[in-house]
Amino acid sequence: MSGRGRGGGGGGRGRGRGGGQPSQSHSQDAGGRGNAAPRVPPQTVASTVTQFGNLSVGSSTPSPSTAPAAARATAAGTVPQQPVMQQNPVQTPPAPVVSAQQPITKAAQPPQASSAAPTSSRIIKAPPRTGYGTLGRKCVIRANHFLVDLGEKDPYQYDVTITPEVISKTRSREILKLLSELYKQSHLGNMLLAYDGKKSAFAAGPLPFESKEFVVKLNESNGREKEFKVNIKFVSRKDLHHLRQFLSGRQHDNPQETIQALDVVLREAASINDRQIIGRSLFSAEFGKGVLGDGIEYWKGFYQSLRPTQMGLSLNIDMSARAFYETKLVTEFVGEFLGKDLMRPLSDQERIKVKRALRGVRVEVRRENYMRRYKVQALTVQPTNQLTFPVDDTGKTMSVVQYFREKYNIHLRYPHLPAIQAGSDAKPTYLPMEICRIAGGQRYALKLNEKQVTNFLRATCQRPLDREASIKNTMVSNNYNANPLVSQAFGLAVKEQLTMIDARVLPPPHLKYHGTGAGSEINPSVGQWNMMNLKMINGGTVNYWAIANFSRHREDAVGRFIHGLVTMCQNRGIVFNPQPLIPMYNSAPNYIEKALVEIHTQCTAQLQKVAPGNSLQLLFVILPDAKGTYPRIKRVCETELGIISQCCQPKNVMKLSNQYFENVAMKINVKVGGRNSVLAAALANRLPYITERPTIIFGADVTHPSPGEDSSPSIAAVVASMDWPQVTKYKALVSAQPHRQEIIEDLYSTTTDARRGVIHTGLIRELLISFKKSTGHKPHRIIFYRDGVSEGQFNEVLMSEMDKIRKACASLEEGYMPPVTFIVVQKRHHTRFFPMKHGDKASTDRSGNILPGTVVDTKICHPTEFDFYLCSHAGIQGTSRPTHYHVLYDENKFTPDGLQNLTNCLCYTYQRCTRSVSIVPPAYYAHLAAFRARYYMEGAELSDSGSSHGGGAGGRATRDRVAEVRPVPVIHENVKSVMFYC
């Protein structure tokens, strides 16, 4: 996830496969929340089954043990009958879904999970790896994984409780470090401790006690001494034998807690020189730092994580960077953050924006021989010169300005600014901004603006050669093997060489464009191709279109731009009327909603005259120069008016670039129902696992709000292929669900009506019905690519979502249970691949990365389960990130070559460009659809005046707003059946 905060929190791949609280397959009695698309009309189970059965082409309703005859589409479009496909017996809806090949087993004392997720005492065992792929040209590459040899000493876990409670992990580590120094010889038996900064410490053997309380006195920043009581209590012993058995494949249960214990040991060893530990990464100015702008800077650092792999325990090391607050006066920060002269007061919106950026930040107040730290709780609504506080019990008050003048001889320069509020609401402490300095080493958790993102990428982007060198230097500086905790206490040994891996480069698929003969077929080279002199295989039709100009460009300039774009569309095979339905509509950006409604009204009236019964097919929109209008335009067009729109940046109007026109033409074609290209193998009925029987491919993703948006809902999106066997057109449905919930609620649900009985709804169900209406066939096979799931959530997501997929199928027809393959797509991980020989043109692309199509399923992959890494795209800048695919459920019996090759081929079917993409398109489309739905919700909060909630934060919710799950605006019927989100 996001940011696309998808899964793992902080960019790691989460903790432990199958970890977390397993999910409970509970009954679906309540209707889903906020489904963006209208549901199938309410109906009883019996009528629904009849409806789905009646959509069959040349087949009757099957018995519970058989499916309708599978069909295969030929290039000419005929559908010969195939032998019937055996189906698993239908399951009772409330029961959890399992496969005969994947038995449910009891989970041993599962850890606690969020209350938002369903729970269960059962887990589904992931399918085992049945072999290794052989397809493709063999090569050798390097990966940023370092083999760790296990010692002989079992880790002993101890629970750590600090009183009074300490929230800061850095502070907690200071306390434990001092405790170790004070009591190592006298009470700890000369044992070294590895501490995670929260509740757990680990020793390489038993301490001399079961439970003991220690007293530690720590010097505070104000010069005072504070006493802490630390209780250390034995919890458990972690058995390395079980870990060895798991790594060798002789035990299937992942001893994740043992791996986490050793992970803490290696992280403790790396946390030298006051490095800041944030999640699984460590940052320090020693690795480099720089300014991002608006009071924010970046620090470089590295990520490290211990992982179980086929070759043994592997330490994954990667370079990382993070945004931090600059150490400066708060007034300096506020001036840069807002980009304004602070001699003028802050508006309410500016105050809320600053409050959101500073909440929780530690500031320092320094005077001669004095320094004290405070934590920012809020900003005062009143300016500092209006603040007073009681000075005694008589009710006498003093102003804050007077207090600082008389007490410290400080004459405030900015008394008109709000003050920082520290302390509690009941007993607040007011601090003028100009006397407070932001403490160093504090990460900035909010979303970076465009300028900061550009600066961040420019400063931290590394080519493969440079990134590999940085990783090697990090390993040398960490010097794990010389650390007494690692080598002497726990007996671990870390190999400092990157792992060499036998990889394979899969061949690119052939792509078919319009026409016959060899000239209409393209063989991509190094992940890209050119469609010059080619036409889209299925050009759409645009007879009725219009132009909305919200930019400052003159009408004649916009006219030339649109003419060039329309001409390109015609040249590429789109049937495009050269004349707009109405004259160009020019409007100021302040009245976007009004202008769009007026355009729709005029077009509807004109169509009544020239083509009754038709509607506007496309609206070109030239965006204004001001930012923040795109969400409003998309919301109004796609949820209120039912118009497909193509937005263009004003900066492109004067360029008249053919490359730009071609890129936009590809987007327009799929938006109006066309196809740009298809896999030649699909047309020739030679695409394994797809063309031999009707197959639907799903993509699903959940996007979570950006950090700081504490009350915005998460958005789930599910897309599904609608054009078997070509698998290029994907319909999208979206839904809002509780804040940061990963499991998709609305895949399937039921409600009960006294008159109509059980009413079935849900995203999966609606997409299955759409597939049947579009292709004339029920899906005989389901392939489900699920994006955004961290390893710790594998089991609960699988249990819940597979159960809903099964129930959605069973609700459509008695005995309908097509085999399902459920694959998790992970992009947020830190595995990187490097060529054996940098600069070798035969083994690298133009950016110096490994070649597109490179697949890895050995050494660094899971010890026993079916997973692989695939780098399906050519690098553009920096080091390419391969995508990790992990099969959690497989009733279609994929071979390694079969799934790897299918996934790679699909990566060449992304309809928005002539390049292969880095993640499988169904998952990519789901991601786009989810972000489009978030635009709808942002756009709904913006008015014509351009004001927004949250003090200019783009309409996003702040902590001041009430947390609730607002439904996503319903996508208009005219829009939802095409790829409007492209």
Side-chain angles (χ1 to χ4, degrees):
M1 2 227 106
S2 348
R4 193 184 164 199
R6 296 150 57 193
R13 281 175 55 194
R15 294 194 177 198
R17 291 174 175 82
Q21 182 83 3
S23 114
Q24 176 182 4
S25 302
H26 55 299
S27 60
Q28 307 293 324
D29 292 329
R33 288 183 184 156
N35 296 320
R39 295 295 183 226
V40 180
Q43 45 203 318
T44 63
V45 179
S47 64
T48 306
V49 169
T50 302
Q51 180 203 36
F52 200 63
N54 286 342
L55 283 171
S56 300
V57 176
S59 65
S60 59
T61 303
S63 68
S65 61
T66 60
R72 174 169 22 177
T74 64
T78 58
V79 187
Q81 296 298 313
Q82 298 292 314
V84 297
M85 178 181 65
Q86 288 298 117
Q87 297 283 349
N88 295 328
V90 68
Q91 295 179 348
T92 335
V97 178
V98 294
S99 165
Q101 289 76 31
Q102 298 164 347
I104 288 183
T105 57
K106 292 284 183 182
Q109 296 180 334
Q112 294 298 314
S114 166
S115 58
T119 59
S120 171
S121 61
R122 292 183 288 188
I123 61 173
I124 298 180
K125 187 182 178 316
R129 186 186 304 278
T130 57
Y132 300 94
T134 59
L135 186 65
R137 178 173 58 82
K138 293 182 179 179
C139 63
V140 179
I141 59 176
R142 281 191 289 262
N144 57 338
H145 284 245
F146 301 85
L147 184 63
V148 177
D149 291 330
L150 292 175
E152 299 298 328
K153 297 178 182 178
D154 293 335
Y156 282 67
Q157 181 179 358
Y158 289 84
D159 183 74
V160 177
T161 305
I162 302 175
T163 309
E165 183 181 4
V166 178
I167 298 176
S168 166
K169 291 183 184 179
T170 302
R171 191 68 163 161
S172 297
R173 288 189 172 96
E174 290 176 1
I175 294 169
L176 257 290
K177 182 180 179 182
L178 181 56
L179 184 150
S180 295
E181 292 172 357
L182 293 175
Y183 298 103
K184 179 183 175 183
Q185 293 183 346
S186 59
H187 292 80
L188 300 180
N190 275 322
M191 301 285 283
L192 296 173
L193 294 178
Y195 178 50
D196 68 356
K198 296 180 287 187
K199 294 288 291 181
S200 296
F202 300 92
L207 296 177
F209 53 82
E210 287 286 320
S211 178
K212 195 171 189 64
E213 187 174 271
F214 298 85
V215 175
V216 176
K217 295 180 179 179
L218 205 64
N219 290 328
E220 295 285 277
S221 57
N222 58 9
R224 299 175 182 174
E225 194 175 64
K226 186 171 183 178
E227 182 177 289
F228 296 93
K229 293 181 179 179
V230 183
N231 185 270
I232 298 179
K233 182 181 179 181
F234 174 71
V235 175
S236 64
R237 171 187 171 187
K238 311 301 178 188
D239 192 342
L240 291 183
H241 173 71
H242 289 164
L243 176 56
R244 288 192 176 91
Q245 292 289 99
F246 174 72
L247 293 171
S248 64
R250 290 190 289 269
Q251 174 181 309
H252 294 295
D253 293 332
N254 184 354
Q256 186 59 33
E257 290 187 356
T258 305
I259 298 173
Q260 287 175 1
L262 299 178
D263 196 38
V264 171
V265 171
L266 291 173
R267 188 165 289 106
E268 179 85 21
S271 60
I272 55 177
N273 302 330
D274 296 322
R275 292 171 175 173
Q276 292 284 332
I277 302 177
I278 299 175
R280 293 170 177 257
S281 297
L282 296 92
F283 300 95
S284 173
E286 70 179 277
F287 296 105
K289 59 186 291 189
V291 173
L292 294 178
D294 300 343
I296 308 302
E297 63 185 7
Y298 68 86
W299 287 15
K300 291 185 178 181
F302 64 94
Y303 165 95
Q304 74 170 48
S305 175
L306 203 56
R307 310 194 50 75
T309 65
Q310 294 172 29
M311 69 177 183
L313 211 54
S314 168
L315 183 63
N316 180 204
I317 298 286
D318 189 27
M319 303 317 296
S320 185
R322 195 91 191 218
F324 286 79
Y325 289 90
E326 286 190 79
T327 302
K328 55 177 52 181
L329 288 173
V330 172
T331 43
E332 295 176 354
F333 169 81
V334 171
E336 290 185 28
F337 186 72
L338 296 177
K340 70 172 288 179
D341 180 5
L342 292 186
M343 297 311 294
R344 294 181 288 118
L346 304 187
S347 67
D348 284 343
Q349 289 184 349
E350 290 171 333
R351 178 183 57 80
I352 293 172
K353 189 176 180 180
V354 171
K355 179 179 72 172
R356 183 166 168 257
L358 288 178
R359 173 172 286 159
V361 172
R362 297 185 305 277
V363 295
E364 298 173 346
V365 175
R366 294 176 180 267
R367 293 187 294 277
E368 188 177 355
N369 299 322
Y370 175 86
M371 192 278 283
R372 184 170 179 181
R373 282 189 174 182
Y374 298 87
K375 190 174 184 178
V376 178
Q377 301 296 337
L379 296 187
T380 60
V381 177
Q382 304 95 335
T384 306
N385 55 20
Q386 294 181 18
L387 292 173
T388 60
F389 61 94
V391 293
D392 54 35
D393 295 336
T394 64
K396 182 181 177 182
T397 62
M398 176 182 285
S399 73
V400 171
V401 173
Q402 180 186 0
Y403 172 81
F404 278 93
R405 184 174 63 246
E406 295 181 2
K407 180 83 172 177
Y408 303 113
N409 196 28
I410 295 176
H411 296 266
L412 299 179
R413 293 182 57 203
Y414 305 104
H416 53 279
L417 295 181
I420 287 172
Q421 179 186 320
S424 63
D425 289 336
K427 192 177 180 181
T429 298
Y430 299 121
L431 303 167
M433 288 184 182
E434 61 197 85
I435 70 165
C436 299
R437 179 174 292 272
I438 296 174
Q442 298 183 83
R443 68 185 177 113
Y444 179 73
L446 300 183
K447 187 176 181 180
L448 298 177
N449 60 37
E450 286 188 23
K451 179 182 73 174
Q452 291 167 336
V453 169
T454 300
N455 293 337
F456 187 86
L457 293 176
R458 185 180 295 123
T460 60
C461 185
Q462 287 183 296
R463 293 287 194 191
L465 176 63
D466 299 326
R467 195 181 195 104
E468 184 179 355
S470 297
I471 291 170
K472 289 177 179 178
N473 292 337
T474 300
M475 287 297 295
V476 171
S477 69
N478 290 348
N479 198 8
Y480 297 99
N481 295 329
N483 189 285
L485 181 68
V486 174
S487 57
Q488 296 173 22
F490 282 88
L492 302 175
V494 182
K495 293 190 176 179
E496 296 186 349
Q497 294 79 33
L498 281 82
T499 298
M500 293 200 332
I501 302 173
D502 292 324
R504 292 168 289 115
V505 181
L506 300 177
H510 289 238
L511 302 173
K512 187 73 169 65
Y513 281 85
H514 180 74
T516 58
S520 65
E521 200 165 290
I522 289 288
N523 185 21
S525 175
V526 197
Q528 55 188 331
W529 62 98
N530 195 321
M531 62 177 293
M532 186 182 299
N533 301 323
L534 292 173
K535 291 189 175 183
M536 295 136 177
I537 189 165
N538 298 120
T541 299
V542 182
N543 289 322
Y544 313 113
W545 56 279
I547 310 165
N549 178 26
F550 297 112
S551 74
R552 297 174 183 172
H553 288 295
R554 291 163 45 118
E555 190 169 315
D556 57 344
V558 174
R560 284 193 297 272
F561 172 78
I562 296 297
H563 175 73
L565 189 48
V566 168
T567 301
M568 178 62 72
C569 288
Q570 293 169 330
N571 291 341
R572 291 293 173 262
I574 302 175
V575 179
F576 216 114
N577 182 347
Q579 295 301 319
L581 186 61
I582 62 172
M584 185 186 305
Y585 193 101
N586 299 283
S587 173
N590 292 347
Y591 304 100
I592 281 177
E593 286 92 338
K594 182 180 177 182
L596 292 173
V597 170
E598 179 60 26
I599 291 170
H600 182 257
T601 301
Q602 289 186 19
C603 289
T604 302
Q606 182 65 13
L607 283 167
Q608 286 294 327
K609 299 176 184 176
V610 299
N614 289 283
S615 57
L616 185 67
Q617 294 170 302
L618 181 66
L619 176 65
F620 288 107
V621 178
I622 309 300
L623 295 167
D625 294 306
K627 297 186 183 299
T629 55
Y630 182 83
R632 295 155 62 192
I633 292 168
K634 290 300 181 182
R635 176 186 60 82
V636 173
C637 286
E638 294 169 1
T639 69
E640 295 181 11
L641 304 177
I643 298 174
I644 294 292
S645 59
Q646 178 58 55
C647 295
C648 302
Q649 293 282 0
K651 65 182 180 182
N652 294 310
V653 168
M654 303 305 293
K655 295 179 181 178
L656 303 180
S657 162
N658 281 332
Q659 183 62 59
Y660 174 81
F661 288 156
E662 187 173 274
N663 292 340
V664 175
M666 286 191 287
K667 297 176 67 174
I668 290 172
N669 190 44
V670 295
K671 287 180 181 182
V672 298
R675 292 187 190 89
N676 295 334
S677 63
V678 300
L679 294 170
L683 287 184
N685 302 305
R686 289 185 288 102
L687 189 60
Y689 295 94
I690 300 296
T691 51
E692 66 264 24
R693 60 181 58 171
T695 300
I696 186 170
I697 302 179
F698 285 95
D701 190 18
V702 178
T703 63
H704 303 292
S706 300
E709 297 178 40
D710 291 351
S711 59
S712 296
S714 292
I715 305 292
V718 182
V719 305
S721 58
M722 293 287 126
D723 61 339
W724 176 80
Q726 290 91 342
V727 291
T728 56
K729 292 184 179 182
Y730 289 83
K731 179 177 179 177
L733 299 176
V734 294
S735 165
Q737 58 187 44
H739 181 76
R740 297 212 169 273
Q741 177 176 304
E742 184 58 46
I743 293 174
I744 302 177
E745 281 191 342
D746 291 332
L747 291 182
Y748 171 77
S749 59
T750 60
T751 54
T752 304
D753 181 84
R755 184 170 57 87
R756 291 173 293 180
V758 178
I759 301 169
H760 303 270
T761 57
L763 307 178
I764 294 291
R765 191 175 190 280
E766 183 171 344
L767 289 168
L768 288 172
I769 292 174
S770 296
F771 179 92
K772 186 66 178 292
K773 290 179 178 178
S774 176
T775 67
H777 304 285
K778 290 175 290 190
H780 287 212
R781 174 180 284 135
I782 293 175
I783 301 172
F784 197 91
Y785 286 100
R786 176 65 158 90
D787 198 2
V789 182
S790 66
E791 290 170 355
Q793 297 172 301
F794 276 5
N795 192 68
E796 57 185 345
V797 169
L798 177 66
M799 286 286 287
S800 175
E801 297 184 4
M802 267 302 303
D803 187 52
K804 291 172 181 176
I805 292 170
R806 280 286 183 242
K807 289 175 180 176
C809 292
S811 75
L812 290 167
E813 184 175 278
E814 184 181 357
Y816 179 56
M817 280 189 63
V820 180
T821 297
F822 193 107
I823 308 149
V824 167
V825 182
Q826 291 178 305
K827 193 70 175 169
R828 294 200 165 196
H829 60 80
H830 285 268
T831 293
R832 299 293 184 273
F833 296 142
F834 304 100
M836 283 297 294
K837 185 178 179 183
H838 291 282
D840 177 23
K841 293 184 178 180
S843 61
T844 60
D845 61 19
R846 293 173 59 184
S847 64
N849 280 284
I850 58 172
L851 293 172
T854 302
V855 64
V856 169
D857 59 3
T858 60
K859 273 198 174 180
I860 63 167
C861 292
H862 191 277
T864 60
E865 294 176 4
F866 187 178
D867 71 329
F868 59 92
Y869 290 92
L870 173 64
C871 184
S872 53
H873 66 298
I876 298 177
Q877 61 178 356
T879 304
S880 296
R881 187 194 320 232
T883 298
H884 183 236
Y885 297 90
H886 198 130
V887 181
L888 299 190
Y889 199 82
D890 183 26
E891 292 177 321
N892 289 299
K893 306 299 181 190
F894 271 97
T895 63
D897 277 333
L899 185 57
Q900 291 165 12
N901 190 50
L902 172 62
T903 303
N904 186 56
C905 288
L906 289 175
C907 289
Y908 285 77
T909 65
Y910 187 64
Q911 296 291 292
R912 299 209 307 177
C913 60
T914 54
R915 301 177 64 94
S916 59
V917 288
S918 61
I919 66 172
V920 69
Y924 204 146
Y925 292 144
H927 181 70
L928 293 178
F931 269 87
R932 178 62 58 84
R934 193 167 296 287
Y935 280 148
Y936 297 159
M937 303 188 82
E938 290 175 13
E941 294 182 349
L942 295 162
S943 68
D944 266 337
S945 64
S947 64
S948 66
H949 298 287
R956 297 186 172 92
T958 70
R959 302 186 191 200
D960 300 308
R961 303 187 57 194
V962 178
E964 60 180 4
V965 180
R966 293 177 293 118
V968 180
V970 176
I971 302 171
H972 199 282
E973 283 292 330
N974 290 357
V975 171
K976 67 185 248 187
S977 60
V978 295
M979 296 171 69
F980 63 90
Y981 48 84
C982 281

